[in-house]
Amino acid sequence: MNKHVYAFGGGKADGDGTMKDVLGGKGSGLAEMSRAGVPVPPGFTISTEVCNIYFQNKNRLPKEIEQEIAEALSKLEAEMGKKLGDAGNPLLLSVRSGAKFSMPGMMNTILNLGLNDQTVEGLAQASVAIHRFAYDCYRPAFVQMFGEGAPQHRDAGNSTRFLTRASTRPKSTLDTDLSADDLKVIIGDYKKLVQKETGKRSPQDAREQLAHVA
């Protein structure tokens, strides 16, 4: 079976800097830095070939590639001592797109993937109960997930309008003025707006979130 998922981190990498065709510019760079001893946080890169496979397979990943991703995720969880979707000690991921050459219109970076109504509380406890920090991390994830689910809202202007519509800021002009309770209300508004605009609920299952953007 061809290899489609390449791990990196901890001074090791399955790939290297010469593999831009396979790993994209970001992936090959991360692999090379990891091999050079740069303290790169561990992760994995899904090969650029998988995009073509996905479309050729009627917008679905073959089960063998899904299994490769699951194995890479399990290895990452073991390295980090955290689990994706664990309400007490959640692993959070950032997901970035990449190709050999940077191109306009590529997928936006997804930060804090793995946060949901349960794991956000686990993050708050791990942050010495700083609930505002946890909910401030949770809020952008909905905007980004929404952008991926509704292509008409991907551009910066629409994202700004989405924020304006979803956010009410009583007695505050800056995001930093919002309390944890304010952010909880805004997140509830995001959920309603996502469902209204896309016809789908924001994914709560962390692995479903990963499948949505991988």
PDB file of all heavy atoms in Angstrom, residues 104-136:
ATOM      1  N   PRO A 104      -3.826  31.094  -4.105  1.00  0.00           N
ATOM      2  CA  PRO A 104      -4.957  31.787  -3.474  1.00  0.00           C
ATOM      3  C   PRO A 104      -6.178  30.883  -3.438  1.00  0.00           C
ATOM      4  O   PRO A 104      -6.368  30.033  -4.303  1.00  0.00           O
ATOM      5  CB  PRO A 104      -5.180  33.001  -4.382  1.00  0.00           C
ATOM      6  CG  PRO A 104      -4.590  32.604  -5.702  1.00  0.00           C
ATOM      7  CD  PRO A 104      -3.429  31.709  -5.385  1.00  0.00           C
ATOM      8  N   GLY A 105      -6.984  31.077  -2.404  1.00  0.00           N
ATOM      9  CA  GLY A 105      -8.216  30.307  -2.300  1.00  0.00           C
ATOM     10  C   GLY A 105      -8.072  28.989  -1.580  1.00  0.00           C
ATOM     11  O   GLY A 105      -9.027  28.221  -1.486  1.00  0.00           O
ATOM     12  N   MET A 106      -6.868  28.696  -1.060  1.00  0.00           N
ATOM     13  CA  MET A 106      -6.693  27.449  -0.326  1.00  0.00           C
ATOM     14  C   MET A 106      -7.407  27.536   1.015  1.00  0.00           C
ATOM     15  O   MET A 106      -7.755  28.602   1.496  1.00  0.00           O
ATOM     16  CB  MET A 106      -5.206  27.155  -0.123  1.00  0.00           C
ATOM     17  CG  MET A 106      -4.467  26.889  -1.432  1.00  0.00           C
ATOM     18  SD  MET A 106      -2.742  26.450  -1.187  1.00  0.00           S
ATOM     19  CE  MET A 106      -2.904  24.784  -0.567  1.00  0.00           C
ATOM     20  N   MET A 107      -7.619  26.398   1.640  1.00  0.00           N
ATOM     21  CA  MET A 107      -8.357  26.333   2.900  1.00  0.00           C
ATOM     22  C   MET A 107      -7.701  27.170   3.987  1.00  0.00           C
ATOM     23  O   MET A 107      -6.486  27.170   4.128  1.00  0.00           O
ATOM     24  CB  MET A 107      -8.423  24.874   3.357  1.00  0.00           C
ATOM     25  CG  MET A 107      -9.269  24.644   4.588  1.00  0.00           C
ATOM     26  SD  MET A 107      -9.114  22.953   5.207  1.00  0.00           S
ATOM     27  CE  MET A 107      -7.617  23.096   6.197  1.00  0.00           C
ATOM     28  N   ASN A 108      -8.520  27.892   4.748  1.00  0.00           N
ATOM     29  CA  ASN A 108      -8.000  28.640   5.878  1.00  0.00           C
ATOM     30  C   ASN A 108      -7.490  27.697   6.960  1.00  0.00           C
ATOM     31  O   ASN A 108      -7.949  26.566   7.076  1.00  0.00           O
ATOM     32  CB  ASN A 108      -9.094  29.531   6.479  1.00  0.00           C
ATOM     33  CG  ASN A 108      -9.466  30.676   5.561  1.00  0.00           C
ATOM     34  OD1 ASN A 108      -8.657  31.121   4.762  1.00  0.00           O
ATOM     35  ND2 ASN A 108     -10.701  31.151   5.679  1.00  0.00           N
ATOM     36  N   THR A 109      -6.553  28.185   7.765  1.00  0.00           N
ATOM     37  CA  THR A 109      -6.072  27.408   8.899  1.00  0.00           C
ATOM     38  C   THR A 109      -7.200  27.236   9.917  1.00  0.00           C
ATOM     39  O   THR A 109      -7.924  28.177  10.225  1.00  0.00           O
ATOM     40  CB  THR A 109      -4.882  28.120   9.563  1.00  0.00           C
ATOM     41  OG1 THR A 109      -3.795  28.144   8.634  1.00  0.00           O
ATOM     42  CG2 THR A 109      -4.440  27.394  10.827  1.00  0.00           C
ATOM     43  N   ILE A 110      -7.357  26.028  10.425  1.00  0.00           N
ATOM     44  CA  ILE A 110      -8.312  25.737  11.488  1.00  0.00           C
ATOM     45  C   ILE A 110      -7.527  25.583  12.784  1.00  0.00           C
ATOM     46  O   ILE A 110      -6.655  24.721  12.887  1.00  0.00           O
ATOM     47  CB  ILE A 110      -9.087  24.438  11.212  1.00  0.00           C
ATOM     48  CG1 ILE A 110      -9.784  24.494   9.846  1.00  0.00           C
ATOM     49  CG2 ILE A 110     -10.098  24.170  12.324  1.00  0.00           C
ATOM     50  CD1 ILE A 110     -10.851  25.527   9.725  1.00  0.00           C
ATOM     51  N   LEU A 111      -7.804  26.417  13.770  1.00  0.00           N
ATOM     52  CA  LEU A 111      -7.128  26.353  15.064  1.00  0.00           C
ATOM     53  C   LEU A 111      -8.046  25.751  16.115  1.00  0.00           C
ATOM     54  O   LEU A 111      -9.260  25.878  16.035  1.00  0.00           O
ATOM     55  CB  LEU A 111      -6.686  27.748  15.505  1.00  0.00           C
ATOM     56  CG  LEU A 111      -5.679  28.468  14.605  1.00  0.00           C
ATOM     57  CD1 LEU A 111      -5.404  29.871  15.144  1.00  0.00           C
ATOM     58  CD2 LEU A 111      -4.375  27.682  14.515  1.00  0.00           C
ATOM     59  N   ASN A 112      -7.434  25.106  17.097  1.00  0.00           N
ATOM     60  CA  ASN A 112      -8.158  24.564  18.255  1.00  0.00           C
ATOM     61  C   ASN A 112      -9.195  23.521  17.857  1.00  0.00           C
ATOM     62  O   ASN A 112     -10.235  23.390  18.506  1.00  0.00           O
ATOM     63  CB  ASN A 112      -8.838  25.696  19.039  1.00  0.00           C
ATOM     64  CG  ASN A 112      -7.850  26.738  19.502  1.00  0.00           C
ATOM     65  OD1 ASN A 112      -6.738  26.409  19.890  1.00  0.00           O
ATOM     66  ND2 ASN A 112      -8.235  28.002  19.457  1.00  0.00           N
ATOM     67  N   LEU A 113      -8.898  22.771  16.790  1.00  0.00           N
ATOM     68  CA  LEU A 113      -9.805  21.683  16.424  1.00  0.00           C
ATOM     69  C   LEU A 113      -9.803  20.655  17.549  1.00  0.00           C
ATOM     70  O   LEU A 113      -8.754  20.273  18.056  1.00  0.00           O
ATOM     71  CB  LEU A 113      -9.349  21.039  15.108  1.00  0.00           C
ATOM     72  CG  LEU A 113     -10.280  19.986  14.529  1.00  0.00           C
ATOM     73  CD1 LEU A 113     -10.273  20.045  13.000  1.00  0.00           C
ATOM     74  CD2 LEU A 113      -9.910  18.576  14.977  1.00  0.00           C
ATOM     75  N   GLY A 114     -10.980  20.224  17.936  1.00  0.00           N
ATOM     76  CA  GLY A 114     -11.110  19.311  19.062  1.00  0.00           C
ATOM     77  C   GLY A 114     -11.876  19.934  20.213  1.00  0.00           C
ATOM     78  O   GLY A 114     -12.297  19.237  21.135  1.00  0.00           O
ATOM     79  N   LEU A 115     -12.063  21.256  20.155  1.00  0.00           N
ATOM     80  CA  LEU A 115     -12.877  21.898  21.184  1.00  0.00           C
ATOM     81  C   LEU A 115     -14.357  21.681  20.892  1.00  0.00           C
ATOM     82  O   LEU A 115     -14.803  21.784  19.757  1.00  0.00           O
ATOM     83  CB  LEU A 115     -12.581  23.402  21.248  1.00  0.00           C
ATOM     84  CG  LEU A 115     -11.294  23.807  21.976  1.00  0.00           C
ATOM     85  CD1 LEU A 115     -11.111  25.319  21.924  1.00  0.00           C
ATOM     86  CD2 LEU A 115     -11.306  23.332  23.429  1.00  0.00           C
ATOM     87  N   ASN A 116     -15.087  21.349  21.924  1.00  0.00           N
ATOM     88  CA  ASN A 116     -16.540  21.251  21.843  1.00  0.00           C
ATOM     89  C   ASN A 116     -17.107  21.640  23.204  1.00  0.00           C
ATOM     90  O   ASN A 116     -16.369  22.116  24.074  1.00  0.00           O
ATOM     91  CB  ASN A 116     -16.984  19.847  21.407  1.00  0.00           C
ATOM     92  CG  ASN A 116     -16.466  18.756  22.329  1.00  0.00           C
ATOM     93  OD1 ASN A 116     -16.335  18.946  23.541  1.00  0.00           O
ATOM     94  ND2 ASN A 116     -16.167  17.594  21.759  1.00  0.00           N
ATOM     95  N   ASP A 117     -18.390  21.429  23.405  1.00  0.00           N
ATOM     96  CA  ASP A 117     -19.018  21.895  24.644  1.00  0.00           C
ATOM     97  C   ASP A 117     -18.423  21.224  25.885  1.00  0.00           C
ATOM     98  O   ASP A 117     -18.481  21.789  26.981  1.00  0.00           O
ATOM     99  CB  ASP A 117     -20.525  21.636  24.607  1.00  0.00           C
ATOM    100  CG  ASP A 117     -21.240  22.509  23.581  1.00  0.00           C
ATOM    101  OD1 ASP A 117     -20.603  23.458  23.065  1.00  0.00           O
ATOM    102  OD2 ASP A 117     -22.411  22.237  23.286  1.00  0.00           O
ATOM    103  N   GLN A 118     -17.870  20.003  25.725  1.00  0.00           N
ATOM    104  CA  GLN A 118     -17.288  19.304  26.862  1.00  0.00           C
ATOM    105  C   GLN A 118     -15.798  19.599  27.015  1.00  0.00           C
ATOM    106  O   GLN A 118     -15.316  19.908  28.107  1.00  0.00           O
ATOM    107  CB  GLN A 118     -17.490  17.780  26.728  1.00  0.00           C
ATOM    108  CG  GLN A 118     -18.908  17.298  26.970  1.00  0.00           C
ATOM    109  CD  GLN A 118     -19.848  17.658  25.833  1.00  0.00           C
ATOM    110  OE1 GLN A 118     -19.508  17.468  24.663  1.00  0.00           O
ATOM    111  NE2 GLN A 118     -21.024  18.166  26.158  1.00  0.00           N
ATOM    112  N   THR A 119     -15.048  19.525  25.914  1.00  0.00           N
ATOM    113  CA  THR A 119     -13.596  19.693  26.010  1.00  0.00           C
ATOM    114  C   THR A 119     -13.201  21.119  26.366  1.00  0.00           C
ATOM    115  O   THR A 119     -12.118  21.349  26.910  1.00  0.00           O
ATOM    116  CB  THR A 119     -12.901  19.273  24.701  1.00  0.00           C
ATOM    117  OG1 THR A 119     -13.419  20.050  23.610  1.00  0.00           O
ATOM    118  CG2 THR A 119     -13.113  17.799  24.415  1.00  0.00           C
ATOM    119  N   VAL A 120     -14.049  22.094  26.062  1.00  0.00           N
ATOM    120  CA  VAL A 120     -13.720  23.474  26.427  1.00  0.00           C
ATOM    121  C   VAL A 120     -13.636  23.615  27.945  1.00  0.00           C
ATOM    122  O   VAL A 120     -12.818  24.376  28.474  1.00  0.00           O
ATOM    123  CB  VAL A 120     -14.742  24.474  25.830  1.00  0.00           C
ATOM    124  CG1 VAL A 120     -16.118  24.331  26.478  1.00  0.00           C
ATOM    125  CG2 VAL A 120     -14.241  25.912  25.985  1.00  0.00           C
ATOM    126  N   GLU A 121     -14.443  22.828  28.666  1.00  0.00           N
ATOM    127  CA  GLU A 121     -14.368  22.859  30.126  1.00  0.00           C
ATOM    128  C   GLU A 121     -13.078  22.201  30.610  1.00  0.00           C
ATOM    129  O   GLU A 121     -12.467  22.643  31.582  1.00  0.00           O
ATOM    130  CB  GLU A 121     -15.587  22.168  30.740  1.00  0.00           C
ATOM    131  CG  GLU A 121     -16.863  22.983  30.640  1.00  0.00           C
ATOM    132  CD  GLU A 121     -16.778  24.287  31.422  1.00  0.00           C
ATOM    133  OE1 GLU A 121     -16.117  24.319  32.483  1.00  0.00           O
ATOM    134  OE2 GLU A 121     -17.375  25.281  30.971  1.00  0.00           O
ATOM    135  N   GLY A 122     -12.643  21.131  29.924  1.00  0.00           N
ATOM    136  CA  GLY A 122     -11.374  20.506  30.262  1.00  0.00           C
ATOM    137  C   GLY A 122     -10.207  21.456  30.043  1.00  0.00           C
ATOM    138  O   GLY A 122      -9.267  21.500  30.843  1.00  0.00           O
ATOM    139  N   LEU A 123     -10.270  22.227  28.965  1.00  0.00           N
ATOM    140  CA  LEU A 123      -9.231  23.221  28.701  1.00  0.00           C
ATOM    141  C   LEU A 123      -9.237  24.296  29.776  1.00  0.00           C
ATOM    142  O   LEU A 123      -8.180  24.749  30.222  1.00  0.00           O
ATOM    143  CB  LEU A 123      -9.447  23.853  27.325  1.00  0.00           C
ATOM    144  CG  LEU A 123      -8.447  24.951  26.918  1.00  0.00           C
ATOM    145  CD1 LEU A 123      -7.041  24.392  26.836  1.00  0.00           C
ATOM    146  CD2 LEU A 123      -8.858  25.584  25.588  1.00  0.00           C
ATOM    147  N   ALA A 124     -10.423  24.699  30.216  1.00  0.00           N
ATOM    148  CA  ALA A 124     -10.518  25.719  31.257  1.00  0.00           C
ATOM    149  C   ALA A 124      -9.862  25.243  32.547  1.00  0.00           C
ATOM    150  O   ALA A 124      -9.142  25.990  33.209  1.00  0.00           O
ATOM    151  CB  ALA A 124     -11.983  26.081  31.508  1.00  0.00           C
ATOM    152  N   GLN A 125     -10.090  23.972  32.889  1.00  0.00           N
ATOM    153  CA  GLN A 125      -9.493  23.433  34.113  1.00  0.00           C
ATOM    154  C   GLN A 125      -7.975  23.320  33.972  1.00  0.00           C
ATOM    155  O   GLN A 125      -7.236  23.611  34.913  1.00  0.00           O
ATOM    156  CB  GLN A 125     -10.091  22.054  34.420  1.00  0.00           C
ATOM    157  CG  GLN A 125     -11.569  22.085  34.755  1.00  0.00           C
ATOM    158  CD  GLN A 125     -11.893  23.000  35.923  1.00  0.00           C
ATOM    159  OE1 GLN A 125     -11.174  23.046  36.908  1.00  0.00           O
ATOM    160  NE2 GLN A 125     -12.993  23.745  35.799  1.00  0.00           N
ATOM    161  N   ALA A 126      -7.508  22.933  32.790  1.00  0.00           N
ATOM    162  CA  ALA A 126      -6.067  22.836  32.555  1.00  0.00           C
ATOM    163  C   ALA A 126      -5.410  24.204  32.536  1.00  0.00           C
ATOM    164  O   ALA A 126      -4.193  24.323  32.714  1.00  0.00           O
ATOM    165  CB  ALA A 126      -5.802  22.112  31.230  1.00  0.00           C
ATOM    166  N   SER A 127      -6.209  25.239  32.316  1.00  0.00           N
ATOM    167  CA  SER A 127      -5.701  26.610  32.285  1.00  0.00           C
ATOM    168  C   SER A 127      -5.906  27.296  33.630  1.00  0.00           C
ATOM    169  O   SER A 127      -6.116  28.502  33.699  1.00  0.00           O
ATOM    170  CB  SER A 127      -6.417  27.411  31.188  1.00  0.00           C
ATOM    171  OG  SER A 127      -6.384  26.738  29.968  1.00  0.00           O
ATOM    172  N   VAL A 128      -5.860  26.517  34.704  1.00  0.00           N
ATOM    173  CA  VAL A 128      -6.064  27.012  36.066  1.00  0.00           C
ATOM    174  C   VAL A 128      -7.417  27.739  36.149  1.00  0.00           C
ATOM    175  O   VAL A 128      -7.530  28.838  36.693  1.00  0.00           O
ATOM    176  CB  VAL A 128      -4.907  27.932  36.516  1.00  0.00           C
ATOM    177  CG1 VAL A 128      -4.902  28.068  38.034  1.00  0.00           C
ATOM    178  CG2 VAL A 128      -3.571  27.411  36.041  1.00  0.00           C
ATOM    179  N   ALA A 129      -8.405  27.088  35.548  1.00  0.00           N
ATOM    180  CA  ALA A 129      -9.790  27.571  35.620  1.00  0.00           C
ATOM    181  C   ALA A 129      -9.973  28.966  35.023  1.00  0.00           C
ATOM    182  O   ALA A 129     -10.839  29.718  35.447  1.00  0.00           O
ATOM    183  CB  ALA A 129     -10.299  27.535  37.063  1.00  0.00           C
ATOM    184  N   ILE A 130      -9.131  29.321  34.036  1.00  0.00           N
ATOM    185  CA  ILE A 130      -9.330  30.599  33.341  1.00  0.00           C
ATOM    186  C   ILE A 130     -10.365  30.356  32.241  1.00  0.00           C
ATOM    187  O   ILE A 130     -10.026  30.037  31.107  1.00  0.00           O
ATOM    188  CB  ILE A 130      -8.015  31.146  32.756  1.00  0.00           C
ATOM    189  CG1 ILE A 130      -6.971  31.305  33.868  1.00  0.00           C
ATOM    190  CG2 ILE A 130      -8.253  32.505  32.084  1.00  0.00           C
ATOM    191  CD1 ILE A 130      -5.610  31.735  33.360  1.00  0.00           C
ATOM    192  N   HIS A 131     -11.623  30.458  32.599  1.00  0.00           N
ATOM    193  CA  HIS A 131     -12.673  30.099  31.660  1.00  0.00           C
ATOM    194  C   HIS A 131     -12.708  31.029  30.457  1.00  0.00           C
ATOM    195  O   HIS A 131     -13.034  30.606  29.351  1.00  0.00           O
ATOM    196  CB  HIS A 131     -14.034  30.093  32.375  1.00  0.00           C
ATOM    197  CG  HIS A 131     -14.304  28.838  33.126  1.00  0.00           C
ATOM    198  ND1 HIS A 131     -13.620  28.507  34.268  1.00  0.00           N
ATOM    199  CD2 HIS A 131     -15.172  27.819  32.890  1.00  0.00           C
ATOM    200  CE1 HIS A 131     -14.056  27.338  34.709  1.00  0.00           C
ATOM    201  NE2 HIS A 131     -14.991  26.895  33.899  1.00  0.00           N
ATOM    202  N   ARG A 132     -12.392  32.287  30.653  1.00  0.00           N
ATOM    203  CA  ARG A 132     -12.447  33.203  29.532  1.00  0.00           C
ATOM    204  C   ARG A 132     -11.464  32.778  28.441  1.00  0.00           C
ATOM    205  O   ARG A 132     -11.780  32.835  27.254  1.00  0.00           O
ATOM    206  CB  ARG A 132     -12.131  34.636  29.975  1.00  0.00           C
ATOM    207  CG  ARG A 132     -12.430  35.628  28.878  1.00  0.00           C
ATOM    208  CD  ARG A 132     -11.732  36.955  28.987  1.00  0.00           C
ATOM    209  NE  ARG A 132     -12.080  37.764  27.837  1.00  0.00           N
ATOM    210  CZ  ARG A 132     -11.539  37.611  26.636  1.00  0.00           C
ATOM    211  NH1 ARG A 132     -10.623  36.679  26.432  1.00  0.00           N
ATOM    212  NH2 ARG A 132     -11.935  38.356  25.618  1.00  0.00           N
ATOM    213  N   PHE A 133     -10.261  32.366  28.835  1.00  0.00           N
ATOM    214  CA  PHE A 133      -9.256  31.902  27.866  1.00  0.00           C
ATOM    215  C   PHE A 133      -9.798  30.724  27.058  1.00  0.00           C
ATOM    216  O   PHE A 133      -9.694  30.697  25.832  1.00  0.00           O
ATOM    217  CB  PHE A 133      -7.974  31.493  28.592  1.00  0.00           C
ATOM    218  CG  PHE A 133      -7.016  30.695  27.742  1.00  0.00           C
ATOM    219  CD1 PHE A 133      -6.240  31.321  26.781  1.00  0.00           C
ATOM    220  CD2 PHE A 133      -6.913  29.325  27.894  1.00  0.00           C
ATOM    221  CE1 PHE A 133      -5.368  30.586  25.982  1.00  0.00           C
ATOM    222  CE2 PHE A 133      -6.047  28.584  27.101  1.00  0.00           C
ATOM    223  CZ  PHE A 133      -5.270  29.219  26.141  1.00  0.00           C
ATOM    224  N   ALA A 134     -10.383  29.749  27.752  1.00  0.00           N
ATOM    225  CA  ALA A 134     -10.880  28.559  27.070  1.00  0.00           C
ATOM    226  C   ALA A 134     -11.980  28.901  26.085  1.00  0.00           C
ATOM    227  O   ALA A 134     -11.982  28.432  24.941  1.00  0.00           O
ATOM    228  CB  ALA A 134     -11.389  27.548  28.106  1.00  0.00           C
ATOM    229  N   TYR A 135     -12.917  29.739  26.495  1.00  0.00           N
ATOM    230  CA  TYR A 135     -14.029  30.072  25.608  1.00  0.00           C
ATOM    231  C   TYR A 135     -13.604  31.019  24.486  1.00  0.00           C
ATOM    232  O   TYR A 135     -14.201  31.013  23.414  1.00  0.00           O
ATOM    233  CB  TYR A 135     -15.199  30.639  26.410  1.00  0.00           C
ATOM    234  CG  TYR A 135     -16.015  29.539  27.055  1.00  0.00           C
ATOM    235  CD1 TYR A 135     -15.720  29.089  28.334  1.00  0.00           C
ATOM    236  CD2 TYR A 135     -17.028  28.909  26.350  1.00  0.00           C
ATOM    237  CE1 TYR A 135     -16.438  28.053  28.910  1.00  0.00           C
ATOM    238  CE2 TYR A 135     -17.751  27.873  26.912  1.00  0.00           C
ATOM    239  CZ  TYR A 135     -17.448  27.441  28.191  1.00  0.00           C
ATOM    240  OH  TYR A 135     -18.146  26.399  28.732  1.00  0.00           O
ATOM    241  N   ASP A 136     -12.580  31.794  24.722  1.00  0.00           N
ATOM    242  CA  ASP A 136     -12.046  32.635  23.649  1.00  0.00           C
ATOM    243  C   ASP A 136     -11.352  31.775  22.602  1.00  0.00           C
ATOM    244  O   ASP A 136     -11.319  32.128  21.420  1.00  0.00           O
ATOM    245  CB  ASP A 136     -11.080  33.677  24.215  1.00  0.00           C
ATOM    246  CG  ASP A 136     -10.924  34.882  23.301  1.00  0.00           C
ATOM    247  OD1 ASP A 136     -11.890  35.209  22.581  1.00  0.00           O
ATOM    248  OD2 ASP A 136      -9.843  35.486  23.300  1.00  0.00           O
TER     249      ASP A 136
END
